[in-house]
Amino acid sequence: MDHVKKIQITLCTCLLGVVFCFAQKKSQGDVFFFQYEYQKAVNAYEKQLSEGVLTKQQFLNLADAYFKTNNFEKALETYTQLYEQDSVLDNHHYNKMLQSLSKTPDSDKKEGLLASVSSSFPKELMENMKFNDQLLQNGGDENQLDYEIFNLNGNSPQTDFAPSFYNDKLLFSSGRQVNKKLRYEPGNEGYFNIYESEIQQTGQGGAVQPFQALRETDYHEATPSYSPGLNSVFYVLSNTENGELSFDPNGKNALAIAKQTIDGSYQLLLKDLSTSFYYPFYDDASGKLYFSADFEDGYGGTDIYFVYTNHGQVMSAPINLGPRINSSGNEVAPYIFENSFYFASDVFYGLGGMDIYKSNIEGEGFGIPINLGDPINSEFDDFGMVIRNDGDGLLGYFASNRSGGKGKDDIYGFKVDEKPGLKTITFKGLVVNQANGSQIVPNAEVSLWNMNGELLAKTTSDEEGQYRLEIPYESELVLDASKKRYSRYIKKFDQDELDALQNNTFDVPVSFYDDLVEEREGQKVVKMDDFYFETSSTKVTDNIKTELDKVVAFVEAFPSAQLRIETYTDSRGGSSTNFKLTQGRSDNIKKYLVENGVPATNILYTIGYGEDKILNNCTNGVFCLEALHRKNQRTLVVVLNDNVLFD
């Protein structure tokens, strides 16, 4: 990649956005910078700096110009000075600063710098980084597929990029100059045009010729995406009026998105004189039109958005894909294949420049983007992947400026047996109160463990009770969830259960301790409805079992609980008989509990109090109604260690 075009992606800023600076008190460096003549901008800004002082914005422009011309040490030095002044850096420039650091001899300082700026990043970005870093450290290359990668014969010495399937042909963009009188100065080549090539059985392209189905223009036409369902091509083009470039008040010519039906109508879909749109992709299944743009509400540089459409006609405002996909860097070139979302990003934790990522589509959301790794990605720019089924395997294409190519950016084809991208497992859903499934539990810790007892991932449910964990595929896992004063939930999942879980939610039920106990007679007891033994009987009836099952569930939820079973009767009958009767009832209650899963060691005592603790005036010889006598016939399961259970 030549020094003028050191950019995150071919279209992202340098070659397609044409800016004419109508100078009003602008320096020569500003003029060169906004015309993408970055080396000339460096020279002018450095001269200006030696003669006086640059404004903070000009100093930031200088840092960006260093970055664009691969002078990463100078870029890092300049970004760092601005950062230390608590100046104009935003998340996107933090990304450039971290990228610059990773390309210098001081790359080992990246962790410290990241720690100092990470608080400004969304948590999703840090989760994405941690996942990809762990994948690399844990030998992600071992899961890599066997790719057959080849450079297309039709590549030129100029820029060739943005491949797209068009029936049995390949469409792509190129800066080669064919029947074009105009040249695009910053790239020193022709304005981009769209070309087509037959796809041969080997995957190689045939003869290259201009794609004639689009309206003719002297300016940029690029990044085609063909929709079989609409028989239409979506693409970007320079904003023009009466055949000439049109500019916003600042002298900027941006890019619009158009739709051309093959042998049919043409529509201009998205246009803003001050904002460029890049890499449209229409998803036939959902009717969504995806694209990249650098709106002010983004997470970094260029973000990926979508709009709802009615057969390609825009029906909504742009919707940002959110921080799971978009980062502090630039995201471009969206593409969907078999429920996987592919795109390119220059986020700072990649292999270098632009890398291609894959994210599983989860309803309206996305899984963690996973770097496809070597050999698809390299230390150079790799972007714009498309892929489809081909016989028993898959055929795909992407663009790269890696060494050994024919031009600035080349298109590469690849064949592979399986879909690129590591297979992962995603757990997501709500942590809920088991007693009331509609009551969510925030701030619960949820973790995944392998069968060797090694922690794989953990998170905390948010204020809406939502949790999400994603890890490389395992055939067996254990999920563990806990929160103070709540029960601990532990469940093992086998391979069939894990496979069934994909693309589904899993709500984690936990029990709140205070929902299961109550204060009675000055002590904490397991909450049960009142139940009664038959007269002079110690038999545990079905009605009694229903209540005792609550004790079984309580101990299952809180296995450290230590219990005492207390049984009482009324004053009728002999005192010694009542002691024996209530002791037998307590013993039979323990027997039932143990038979149904309560460890005997959890029940420290079983006591029959007989008629010792009468709660009312119904003592010996006092006439009482049956309802009053019944108040004294009771069983309590006391939690002895209530005061230390959660210490």
Side-chain angles (χ1 to χ4, degrees), residues 1-9 13 33 38-39 41-42 46 59-79 92-104 328-330 346-348 352-354 381:
M1 190 176 234
D2 79 321
H3 66 283
V4 174
K5 204 189 92 183
K6 182 53 188 171
I7 52 176
Q8 288 78 10
I9 190 74
T13 49
F33 183 82
Y38 292 118
Q39 188 55 56
V42 165
E46 287 181 340
F59 202 55
L60 181 60
N61 293 348
L62 175 59
D64 288 344
Y66 283 138
F67 186 87
K68 298 290 188 182
T69 54
N70 296 350
N71 193 339
F72 297 113
E73 291 191 30
K74 282 290 191 73
L76 176 62
E77 177 184 342
T78 311
Y79 286 133
H92 185 47
H93 286 97
Y94 286 155
N95 191 79
K96 291 182 178 180
M97 182 166 62
L98 289 164
Q99 282 184 294
S100 299
L101 181 56
S102 66
K103 297 175 183 291
T104 66
S328 55
N330 294 292
D346 66 354
V347 65
F348 58 85
M354 276 276 167
D381 289 326

Short mmCIF file of all heavy atoms in Angstrom, two decimals, residues 1-9 13 33 38-39 41-42 46 59-79 92-104 328-330 346-348 352-354 381:
data_model
loop_
_atom_site.label_atom_id
_atom_site.label_comp_id
_atom_site.label_asym_id
_atom_site.label_seq_id
_atom_site.Cartn_x
_atom_site.Cartn_y
_atom_site.Cartn_z
N MET A 1 0.85 -1.19 0.00
CA MET A 1 0.00 0.00 0.00
C MET A 1 0.89 1.24 0.00
O MET A 1 1.79 1.37 0.80
CB MET A 1 -0.89 -0.05 1.24
CG MET A 1 -1.96 0.98 1.25
SD MET A 1 -3.01 0.75 2.69
CE MET A 1 -4.57 0.66 1.91
N ASP A 2 0.63 2.17 -0.93
CA ASP A 2 1.54 3.30 -1.03
C ASP A 2 1.29 4.30 0.10
O ASP A 2 0.28 4.27 0.77
CB ASP A 2 1.41 3.97 -2.41
CG ASP A 2 0.21 4.87 -2.52
OD1 ASP A 2 -0.84 4.50 -1.97
OD2 ASP A 2 0.32 5.93 -3.14
N HIS A 3 2.26 5.19 0.31
CA HIS A 3 2.24 6.06 1.48
C HIS A 3 1.09 7.06 1.44
O HIS A 3 0.64 7.53 2.47
CB HIS A 3 3.56 6.82 1.61
CG HIS A 3 3.80 7.80 0.49
ND1 HIS A 3 4.21 7.40 -0.76
CD2 HIS A 3 3.65 9.14 0.44
CE1 HIS A 3 4.34 8.46 -1.53
NE2 HIS A 3 4.01 9.53 -0.84
N VAL A 4 0.60 7.40 0.27
CA VAL A 4 -0.52 8.35 0.19
C VAL A 4 -1.79 7.70 0.70
O VAL A 4 -2.67 8.35 1.24
CB VAL A 4 -0.71 8.83 -1.26
CG1 VAL A 4 -1.95 9.69 -1.40
CG2 VAL A 4 0.53 9.59 -1.72
N LYS A 5 -1.88 6.40 0.59
CA LYS A 5 -3.14 5.71 0.83
C LYS A 5 -3.10 4.82 2.06
O LYS A 5 -3.73 3.79 2.11
CB LYS A 5 -3.46 4.86 -0.41
CG LYS A 5 -4.92 4.54 -0.60
CD LYS A 5 -5.10 3.54 -1.70
CE LYS A 5 -5.10 2.16 -1.06
NZ LYS A 5 -5.20 1.08 -1.98
N LYS A 6 -2.31 5.20 3.06
CA LYS A 6 -2.29 4.41 4.29
C LYS A 6 -3.58 4.68 5.04
O LYS A 6 -3.71 5.60 5.81
CB LYS A 6 -1.09 4.78 5.15
CG LYS A 6 -1.01 3.94 6.42
CD LYS A 6 -1.06 2.48 6.11
CE LYS A 6 -1.18 1.65 7.37
NZ LYS A 6 -1.43 0.26 7.05
N ILE A 7 -4.56 3.88 4.74
CA ILE A 7 -5.89 4.06 5.30
C ILE A 7 -6.38 2.74 5.86
O ILE A 7 -5.82 1.70 5.58
CB ILE A 7 -6.87 4.55 4.21
CG1 ILE A 7 -6.78 3.62 3.01
CG2 ILE A 7 -6.59 5.95 3.83
CD1 ILE A 7 -7.75 3.93 1.93
N GLN A 8 -7.43 2.81 6.62
CA GLN A 8 -7.97 1.59 7.20
C GLN A 8 -8.59 0.70 6.12
O GLN A 8 -8.59 -0.50 6.24
CB GLN A 8 -9.05 1.92 8.25
CG GLN A 8 -8.50 2.49 9.53
CD GLN A 8 -8.14 3.94 9.42
OE1 GLN A 8 -8.46 4.60 8.44
NE2 GLN A 8 -7.45 4.45 10.41
N ILE A 9 -9.13 1.31 5.13
CA ILE A 9 -9.78 0.56 4.07
C ILE A 9 -9.80 1.43 2.84
O ILE A 9 -9.77 2.64 2.93
CB ILE A 9 -11.23 0.18 4.47
CG1 ILE A 9 -11.84 -0.80 3.50
CG2 ILE A 9 -12.09 1.35 4.60
CD1 ILE A 9 -11.31 -2.17 3.63
N THR A 13 -11.84 6.48 3.68
CA THR A 13 -11.69 7.94 3.68
C THR A 13 -10.94 8.45 2.47
O THR A 13 -11.24 9.51 1.94
CB THR A 13 -10.93 8.40 4.93
OG1 THR A 13 -9.76 7.63 5.07
CG2 THR A 13 -11.77 8.28 6.18
N PHE A 33 -4.16 18.28 3.83
CA PHE A 33 -4.77 17.24 4.66
C PHE A 33 -6.18 16.91 4.17
O PHE A 33 -6.54 15.73 4.04
CB PHE A 33 -4.82 17.69 6.13
CG PHE A 33 -5.38 16.67 7.07
CD1 PHE A 33 -4.58 15.64 7.55
CD2 PHE A 33 -6.71 16.71 7.47
CE1 PHE A 33 -5.09 14.68 8.41
CE2 PHE A 33 -7.23 15.76 8.33
CZ PHE A 33 -6.41 14.74 8.80
N TYR A 38 -1.43 13.33 2.24
CA TYR A 38 -0.98 13.27 3.63
C TYR A 38 0.51 13.56 3.80
O TYR A 38 0.91 14.20 4.78
CB TYR A 38 -1.34 11.91 4.23
CG TYR A 38 -2.83 11.73 4.39
CD1 TYR A 38 -3.51 10.73 3.70
CD2 TYR A 38 -3.57 12.59 5.19
CE1 TYR A 38 -4.87 10.58 3.83
CE2 TYR A 38 -4.94 12.44 5.34
CZ TYR A 38 -5.59 11.43 4.65
OH TYR A 38 -6.95 11.30 4.78
N GLN A 39 1.35 13.10 2.88
CA GLN A 39 2.78 13.40 3.04
C GLN A 39 3.04 14.90 2.85
O GLN A 39 3.84 15.49 3.57
CB GLN A 39 3.62 12.59 2.04
CG GLN A 39 5.12 12.71 2.27
CD GLN A 39 5.51 12.33 3.70
OE1 GLN A 39 5.24 11.25 4.17
NE2 GLN A 39 6.17 13.26 4.40
N ALA A 41 0.87 17.15 3.56
CA ALA A 41 0.33 17.75 4.78
C ALA A 41 1.35 17.68 5.90
O ALA A 41 1.54 18.64 6.66
CB ALA A 41 -0.97 17.06 5.18
N VAL A 42 2.05 16.53 6.03
CA VAL A 42 3.09 16.38 7.06
C VAL A 42 4.16 17.45 6.87
O VAL A 42 4.56 18.15 7.82
CB VAL A 42 3.70 14.97 7.01
CG1 VAL A 42 5.00 14.93 7.82
CG2 VAL A 42 2.72 13.94 7.54
N GLU A 46 4.76 20.40 9.58
CA GLU A 46 6.05 20.45 10.27
C GLU A 46 6.73 21.80 10.04
O GLU A 46 7.34 22.37 10.96
CB GLU A 46 6.95 19.31 9.80
CG GLU A 46 6.52 17.95 10.32
CD GLU A 46 7.45 16.83 9.87
OE1 GLU A 46 8.17 17.03 8.85
OE2 GLU A 46 7.46 15.77 10.51
N PHE A 59 -2.65 20.05 15.11
CA PHE A 59 -1.71 19.08 15.69
C PHE A 59 -2.31 17.67 15.60
O PHE A 59 -1.58 16.70 15.33
CB PHE A 59 -1.42 19.45 17.14
CG PHE A 59 -0.13 18.90 17.67
CD1 PHE A 59 1.07 19.13 17.02
CD2 PHE A 59 -0.11 18.12 18.83
CE1 PHE A 59 2.26 18.61 17.50
CE2 PHE A 59 1.06 17.61 19.33
CZ PHE A 59 2.25 17.85 18.67
N LEU A 60 -3.62 17.56 15.79
CA LEU A 60 -4.29 16.27 15.62
C LEU A 60 -4.25 15.84 14.16
O LEU A 60 -4.03 14.66 13.85
CB LEU A 60 -5.72 16.37 16.11
CG LEU A 60 -6.56 15.09 16.03
CD1 LEU A 60 -5.94 13.96 16.87
CD2 LEU A 60 -7.99 15.35 16.48
N ASN A 61 -4.46 16.79 13.25
CA ASN A 61 -4.34 16.47 11.82
C ASN A 61 -2.94 15.95 11.50
O ASN A 61 -2.79 15.03 10.70
CB ASN A 61 -4.63 17.71 10.97
CG ASN A 61 -6.08 18.16 11.06
OD1 ASN A 61 -6.93 17.43 11.58
ND2 ASN A 61 -6.36 19.35 10.58
N LEU A 62 -1.93 16.56 12.11
CA LEU A 62 -0.56 16.11 11.88
C LEU A 62 -0.39 14.66 12.37
O LEU A 62 0.23 13.84 11.67
CB LEU A 62 0.42 17.04 12.60
CG LEU A 62 1.90 16.62 12.56
CD1 LEU A 62 2.41 16.50 11.12
CD2 LEU A 62 2.74 17.62 13.35
N ALA A 63 -0.93 14.35 13.55
CA ALA A 63 -0.85 12.98 14.05
C ALA A 63 -1.53 12.02 13.08
O ALA A 63 -0.99 10.93 12.76
CB ALA A 63 -1.51 12.89 15.42
N ASP A 64 -2.71 12.40 12.58
CA ASP A 64 -3.42 11.55 11.62
C ASP A 64 -2.63 11.40 10.32
O ASP A 64 -2.61 10.32 9.71
CB ASP A 64 -4.80 12.12 11.32
CG ASP A 64 -5.77 11.95 12.49
OD1 ASP A 64 -5.48 11.15 13.39
OD2 ASP A 64 -6.82 12.64 12.48
N ALA A 65 -1.98 12.47 9.89
CA ALA A 65 -1.18 12.40 8.66
C ALA A 65 0.02 11.48 8.84
O ALA A 65 0.38 10.72 7.93
CB ALA A 65 -0.72 13.80 8.26
N TYR A 66 0.66 11.54 10.01
CA TYR A 66 1.74 10.58 10.30
C TYR A 66 1.20 9.15 10.22
O TYR A 66 1.83 8.26 9.65
CB TYR A 66 2.29 10.82 11.71
CG TYR A 66 3.23 12.00 11.85
CD1 TYR A 66 3.13 12.84 12.97
CD2 TYR A 66 4.22 12.26 10.91
CE1 TYR A 66 3.98 13.92 13.13
CE2 TYR A 66 5.08 13.34 11.07
CZ TYR A 66 4.97 14.17 12.17
OH TYR A 66 5.82 15.22 12.33
N PHE A 67 0.02 8.94 10.82
CA PHE A 67 -0.58 7.61 10.83
C PHE A 67 -0.87 7.14 9.40
O PHE A 67 -0.60 5.99 9.05
CB PHE A 67 -1.87 7.65 11.64
CG PHE A 67 -2.52 6.32 11.84
CD1 PHE A 67 -2.17 5.50 12.91
CD2 PHE A 67 -3.50 5.86 10.97
CE1 PHE A 67 -2.77 4.26 13.10
CE2 PHE A 67 -4.11 4.63 11.14
CZ PHE A 67 -3.73 3.83 12.21
N LYS A 68 -1.40 8.03 8.57
CA LYS A 68 -1.77 7.66 7.20
C LYS A 68 -0.53 7.33 6.36
O LYS A 68 -0.63 6.58 5.39
CB LYS A 68 -2.53 8.81 6.54
CG LYS A 68 -3.84 9.18 7.20
CD LYS A 68 -4.90 8.12 7.02
CE LYS A 68 -6.25 8.59 7.53
NZ LYS A 68 -7.29 7.56 7.41
N THR A 69 0.62 7.90 6.72
CA THR A 69 1.84 7.68 5.94
C THR A 69 2.75 6.65 6.60
O THR A 69 3.95 6.58 6.30
CB THR A 69 2.60 9.00 5.75
OG1 THR A 69 2.83 9.61 7.02
CG2 THR A 69 1.80 9.96 4.88
N ASN A 70 2.20 5.84 7.51
CA ASN A 70 2.93 4.74 8.15
C ASN A 70 4.06 5.19 9.07
O ASN A 70 4.90 4.37 9.45
CB ASN A 70 3.50 3.76 7.11
CG ASN A 70 2.42 3.06 6.33
OD1 ASN A 70 1.25 3.14 6.66
ND2 ASN A 70 2.82 2.37 5.28
N ASN A 71 4.10 6.45 9.43
CA ASN A 71 5.12 6.92 10.37
C ASN A 71 4.55 6.77 11.78
O ASN A 71 4.16 7.74 12.43
CB ASN A 71 5.48 8.38 10.08
CG ASN A 71 6.75 8.80 10.81
OD1 ASN A 71 7.15 8.19 11.79
ND2 ASN A 71 7.38 9.87 10.32
N PHE A 72 4.51 5.51 12.25
CA PHE A 72 3.78 5.21 13.48
C PHE A 72 4.48 5.75 14.73
O PHE A 72 3.81 6.09 15.71
CB PHE A 72 3.54 3.71 13.59
CG PHE A 72 2.68 3.18 12.48
CD1 PHE A 72 3.19 2.31 11.52
CD2 PHE A 72 1.35 3.56 12.37
CE1 PHE A 72 2.41 1.82 10.50
CE2 PHE A 72 0.55 3.08 11.34
CZ PHE A 72 1.09 2.22 10.41
N GLU A 73 5.80 5.82 14.71
CA GLU A 73 6.49 6.37 15.88
C GLU A 73 6.15 7.84 16.07
O GLU A 73 5.88 8.30 17.19
CB GLU A 73 8.00 6.16 15.74
CG GLU A 73 8.42 4.70 15.84
CD GLU A 73 9.92 4.53 15.96
OE1 GLU A 73 10.57 5.43 16.52
OE2 GLU A 73 10.44 3.50 15.51
N LYS A 74 6.17 8.60 14.97
CA LYS A 74 5.80 10.01 15.06
C LYS A 74 4.32 10.17 15.40
O LYS A 74 3.93 11.07 16.16
CB LYS A 74 6.11 10.72 13.74
CG LYS A 74 7.59 11.05 13.54
CD LYS A 74 8.01 12.17 14.49
CE LYS A 74 9.39 12.72 14.16
NZ LYS A 74 9.40 13.54 12.94
N ALA A 75 3.49 9.32 14.82
CA ALA A 75 2.06 9.37 15.13
C ALA A 75 1.83 9.13 16.61
O ALA A 75 1.07 9.86 17.27
CB ALA A 75 1.30 8.34 14.29
N LEU A 76 2.49 8.10 17.17
CA LEU A 76 2.33 7.79 18.59
C LEU A 76 2.80 8.96 19.46
O LEU A 76 2.13 9.34 20.43
CB LEU A 76 3.12 6.53 18.94
CG LEU A 76 3.12 6.13 20.41
CD1 LEU A 76 1.71 5.83 20.89
CD2 LEU A 76 4.04 4.93 20.63
N GLU A 77 3.94 9.53 19.09
CA GLU A 77 4.47 10.65 19.87
C GLU A 77 3.48 11.82 19.88
O GLU A 77 3.25 12.45 20.93
CB GLU A 77 5.80 11.08 19.26
CG GLU A 77 6.44 12.29 19.94
CD GLU A 77 7.72 12.73 19.23
OE1 GLU A 77 8.28 11.93 18.46
OE2 GLU A 77 8.13 13.88 19.44
N THR A 78 2.89 12.10 18.74
CA THR A 78 1.98 13.23 18.63
C THR A 78 0.65 12.95 19.34
O THR A 78 0.13 13.80 20.08
CB THR A 78 1.73 13.58 17.15
OG1 THR A 78 2.99 13.66 16.47
CG2 THR A 78 1.03 14.91 17.01
N TYR A 79 0.08 11.75 19.11
CA TYR A 79 -1.14 11.38 19.82
C TYR A 79 -0.92 11.43 21.33
O TYR A 79 -1.78 11.89 22.09
CB TYR A 79 -1.60 9.97 19.43
CG TYR A 79 -2.21 9.85 18.06
CD1 TYR A 79 -1.80 8.83 17.20
CD2 TYR A 79 -3.22 10.71 17.63
CE1 TYR A 79 -2.36 8.69 15.93
CE2 TYR A 79 -3.78 10.59 16.37
CZ TYR A 79 -3.35 9.58 15.53
OH TYR A 79 -3.91 9.45 14.29
N HIS A 92 -11.99 7.13 18.73
CA HIS A 92 -11.42 6.76 17.44
C HIS A 92 -9.92 7.06 17.41
O HIS A 92 -9.13 6.28 16.89
CB HIS A 92 -12.14 7.50 16.32
CG HIS A 92 -11.70 7.11 14.94
ND1 HIS A 92 -11.56 5.79 14.56
CD2 HIS A 92 -11.34 7.85 13.86
CE1 HIS A 92 -11.16 5.74 13.30
NE2 HIS A 92 -11.01 6.97 12.86
N HIS A 93 -9.52 8.18 18.01
CA HIS A 93 -8.09 8.50 18.03
C HIS A 93 -7.35 7.68 19.08
O HIS A 93 -6.16 7.39 18.92
CB HIS A 93 -7.90 10.01 18.25
CG HIS A 93 -8.23 10.82 17.04
ND1 HIS A 93 -9.45 11.43 16.86
CD2 HIS A 93 -7.50 11.09 15.92
CE1 HIS A 93 -9.47 12.05 15.69
NE2 HIS A 93 -8.30 11.87 15.10
N TYR A 94 -8.05 7.27 20.15
CA TYR A 94 -7.43 6.29 21.05
C TYR A 94 -7.10 5.02 20.29
O TYR A 94 -6.06 4.40 20.49
CB TYR A 94 -8.39 5.96 22.20
CG TYR A 94 -8.54 7.04 23.24
CD1 TYR A 94 -9.70 7.11 24.01
CD2 TYR A 94 -7.54 7.97 23.49
CE1 TYR A 94 -9.86 8.09 24.98
CE2 TYR A 94 -7.69 8.95 24.45
CZ TYR A 94 -8.85 9.01 25.20
OH TYR A 94 -9.00 9.98 26.14
N ASN A 95 -8.01 4.64 19.40
CA ASN A 95 -7.78 3.43 18.60
C ASN A 95 -6.53 3.59 17.74
O ASN A 95 -5.69 2.69 17.66
CB ASN A 95 -9.00 3.16 17.71
CG ASN A 95 -8.95 1.81 17.05
OD1 ASN A 95 -9.26 0.80 17.67
ND2 ASN A 95 -8.55 1.75 15.78
N LYS A 96 -6.37 4.76 17.10
CA LYS A 96 -5.19 5.02 16.28
C LYS A 96 -3.93 5.05 17.13
O LYS A 96 -2.86 4.57 16.70
CB LYS A 96 -5.35 6.33 15.51
CG LYS A 96 -6.41 6.30 14.42
CD LYS A 96 -6.46 7.64 13.69
CE LYS A 96 -7.48 7.62 12.57
NZ LYS A 96 -7.54 8.91 11.86
N MET A 97 -4.03 5.62 18.32
CA MET A 97 -2.88 5.68 19.21
C MET A 97 -2.44 4.27 19.61
O MET A 97 -1.24 3.95 19.60
CB MET A 97 -3.21 6.51 20.45
CG MET A 97 -2.06 6.70 21.43
SD MET A 97 -2.38 8.00 22.66
CE MET A 97 -3.83 7.34 23.49
N LEU A 98 -3.40 3.41 19.93
CA LEU A 98 -3.08 2.03 20.30
C LEU A 98 -2.55 1.25 19.10
O LEU A 98 -1.63 0.44 19.22
CB LEU A 98 -4.32 1.35 20.87
CG LEU A 98 -4.75 1.84 22.25
CD1 LEU A 98 -6.19 1.41 22.56
CD2 LEU A 98 -3.80 1.31 23.32
N GLN A 99 -3.10 1.50 17.91
CA GLN A 99 -2.58 0.88 16.71
C GLN A 99 -1.13 1.30 16.46
O GLN A 99 -0.28 0.48 16.14
CB GLN A 99 -3.43 1.26 15.49
CG GLN A 99 -4.74 0.51 15.36
CD GLN A 99 -5.44 0.90 14.08
OE1 GLN A 99 -5.88 2.03 13.91
NE2 GLN A 99 -5.54 -0.04 13.17
N SER A 100 -0.87 2.59 16.61
CA SER A 100 0.49 3.10 16.40
C SER A 100 1.46 2.45 17.38
O SER A 100 2.56 2.05 17.00
CB SER A 100 0.51 4.62 16.57
OG SER A 100 -0.34 5.25 15.63
N LEU A 101 1.04 2.33 18.63
CA LEU A 101 1.90 1.74 19.65
C LEU A 101 2.23 0.29 19.32
O LEU A 101 3.37 -0.16 19.50
CB LEU A 101 1.22 1.83 21.02
CG LEU A 101 2.00 1.27 22.22
CD1 LEU A 101 3.37 1.92 22.33
CD2 LEU A 101 1.21 1.45 23.50
N SER A 102 1.24 -0.45 18.81
CA SER A 102 1.47 -1.86 18.50
C SER A 102 2.44 -2.04 17.34
O SER A 102 2.97 -3.13 17.14
CB SER A 102 0.14 -2.55 18.18
OG SER A 102 -0.42 -2.03 16.99
N LYS A 103 2.69 -0.98 16.56
CA LYS A 103 3.58 -1.07 15.40
C LYS A 103 4.94 -0.45 15.67
O LYS A 103 5.72 -0.25 14.74
CB LYS A 103 2.92 -0.39 14.19
CG LYS A 103 1.62 -1.07 13.74
CD LYS A 103 0.98 -0.27 12.62
CE LYS A 103 -0.35 -0.87 12.20
NZ LYS A 103 -0.20 -2.16 11.52
N THR A 104 5.23 -0.15 16.94
CA THR A 104 6.51 0.46 17.30
C THR A 104 7.28 -0.48 18.22
O THR A 104 6.73 -1.44 18.75
CB THR A 104 6.29 1.80 18.03
OG1 THR A 104 5.66 1.54 19.30
CG2 THR A 104 5.43 2.74 17.21
N SER A 328 -14.08 1.40 18.42
CA SER A 328 -13.40 2.69 18.33
C SER A 328 -12.68 2.86 17.00
O SER A 328 -12.20 3.95 16.69
CB SER A 328 -12.40 2.82 19.48
OG SER A 328 -11.51 1.71 19.49
N GLY A 329 -12.59 1.80 16.22
CA GLY A 329 -11.95 1.88 14.91
C GLY A 329 -12.96 2.12 13.80
O GLY A 329 -14.00 2.75 14.00
N ASN A 330 -12.66 1.60 12.61
CA ASN A 330 -13.54 1.68 11.45
C ASN A 330 -14.10 0.30 11.15
O ASN A 330 -13.35 -0.68 11.10
CB ASN A 330 -12.79 2.19 10.22
CG ASN A 330 -12.31 3.62 10.38
OD1 ASN A 330 -13.10 4.55 10.42
ND2 ASN A 330 -11.00 3.79 10.48
N ASP A 346 -10.62 -2.23 11.76
CA ASP A 346 -9.23 -1.96 12.12
C ASP A 346 -9.10 -1.68 13.62
O ASP A 346 -8.24 -0.93 14.05
CB ASP A 346 -8.66 -0.80 11.30
CG ASP A 346 -9.33 0.54 11.62
OD1 ASP A 346 -10.31 0.55 12.39
OD2 ASP A 346 -8.87 1.57 11.10
N VAL A 347 -9.97 -2.30 14.44
CA VAL A 347 -9.88 -2.15 15.88
C VAL A 347 -8.49 -2.56 16.35
O VAL A 347 -7.85 -3.44 15.78
CB VAL A 347 -10.98 -2.97 16.58
CG1 VAL A 347 -10.80 -4.47 16.36
CG2 VAL A 347 -11.05 -2.64 18.06
N PHE A 348 -8.00 -1.91 17.41
CA PHE A 348 -6.59 -1.96 17.78
C PHE A 348 -6.09 -3.35 18.15
O PHE A 348 -4.89 -3.60 18.14
CB PHE A 348 -6.33 -1.01 18.95
CG PHE A 348 -7.15 -1.29 20.17
CD1 PHE A 348 -6.74 -2.23 21.11
CD2 PHE A 348 -8.35 -0.62 20.39
CE1 PHE A 348 -7.50 -2.48 22.23
CE2 PHE A 348 -9.11 -0.88 21.52
CZ PHE A 348 -8.69 -1.81 22.44
N GLY A 352 -3.44 -6.42 12.40
CA GLY A 352 -2.77 -5.30 11.73
C GLY A 352 -3.63 -4.75 10.63
O GLY A 352 -4.17 -5.49 9.81
N GLY A 353 -3.78 -3.41 10.57
CA GLY A 353 -4.63 -2.82 9.55
C GLY A 353 -6.06 -3.32 9.70
O GLY A 353 -6.56 -3.52 10.80
N MET A 354 -6.73 -3.54 8.56
CA MET A 354 -8.07 -4.10 8.56
C MET A 354 -8.01 -5.62 8.67
O MET A 354 -7.21 -6.26 8.00
CB MET A 354 -8.79 -3.72 7.26
CG MET A 354 -9.44 -2.36 7.28
SD MET A 354 -11.07 -2.46 8.05
CE MET A 354 -11.40 -0.72 8.31
N ASP A 381 -3.97 -4.80 5.27
CA ASP A 381 -5.41 -4.60 5.22
C ASP A 381 -6.07 -5.77 4.51
O ASP A 381 -5.72 -6.09 3.36
CB ASP A 381 -5.75 -3.30 4.47
CG ASP A 381 -5.39 -2.07 5.27
OD1 ASP A 381 -5.50 -2.12 6.50
OD2 ASP A 381 -4.99 -1.06 4.66
#
